[in-house]
Structures are given as C-alpha cells and as structure tokens.
Amino acid sequence: MTLWNVTAPTVRIVGDEEVRGTQTWVVRAPRSVEAVRQVAARIAAEDAVRHRRGAAIDSTAFTTTRWRSPHGVLGPTVHCMQAPQSGQAGPGQGADASTSAPLPAGCGTTAA
C-alpha cells in the first residue's frame, strides 16, 4: 500500500475577511483515486471539521501526491508511542491499524 497526501482547499470567513487554507490527510491506498475516495468519505466527520475550524472545503479540487519522509518515499519507519490508557500497555496497542487510517500527527507525516 502506498501512503498518499490528499489535500483540499478550504475557505472560512473571519469578520469581513475570507481566509483561505488547505486541509491535508495522509492515507494508505493502492492508487491516488482510492486515497481521494477515502478522504471524500471523511470530510464531514466531526474531527475533520474541527481541525479546519469549520471552514468550507472544496471537494472538487483535491490534489494527491505520494507521501515522502525526509529520507524519501521508503524512508525509515517512525514508531509512534501511544500513552497507556485503559489497559493499553505499549506502543501502538489499540491504534487503528486499518488501511484507511491516517497516520497520527507528529509521526513523521506532512499532515496539517
């Protein structure tokens, strides 16, 4: 599976000003079109809307690029430590390991 950056432009109104930005997801998919489908299914999720501070998203203008670590596409794996909670004693336990799960923030991703 390939990791993809999927980015969509956003816009929100702050006072009288239009503030433009982007929202980016990092997803696993065999092809870019499937990565976009995954993201399209997530854009209305509460955490996605909160992350972009309620901004409207232009779902017709997605862009995709292969995710790259600072060491290239096949750079070293970065293990993300998860704080032990409710019986989760070690790194990664209880994490969503499905192929559609984005990488957690701060784990070597370029996700915003």
Side-chain angles (χ1 to χ4, degrees):
M1 262 319 150
T2 302
L3 286 173
W4 298 94
N5 286 329
V6 181
T7 303
T10 62
V11 64
R12 67 186 176 108
I13 305 299
V14 177
D16 293 333
E17 187 178 343
E18 196 174 80
V19 179
R20 296 191 173 275
T22 61
Q23 186 170 15
T24 301
W25 292 259
V26 177
V27 296
R28 287 184 180 95
R31 299 179 314 156
S32 65
V33 68
E34 291 172 19
V36 169
R37 285 185 189 132
Q38 288 180 36
V39 168
R42 296 179 188 176
I43 60 174
E46 183 179 336
D47 61 333
V49 174
R50 183 177 54 250
H51 183 77
R52 65 179 178 265
R53 297 180 179 103
I57 197 161
D58 183 356
S59 60
T60 65
F62 284 122
T63 59
T64 59
T65 57
R66 284 181 181 243
W67 181 85
R68 289 188 171 280
S69 79
H71 306 284
V73 174
L74 299 176
T77 301
V78 177
H79 295 285
C80 299
M81 299 300 288
Q82 181 173 343
Q85 312 172 5
S86 61
Q88 295 175 357
Q93 289 184 356
D96 183 354
S98 69
T99 58
S100 64
L103 296 177
C107 292
T109 73
T110 57

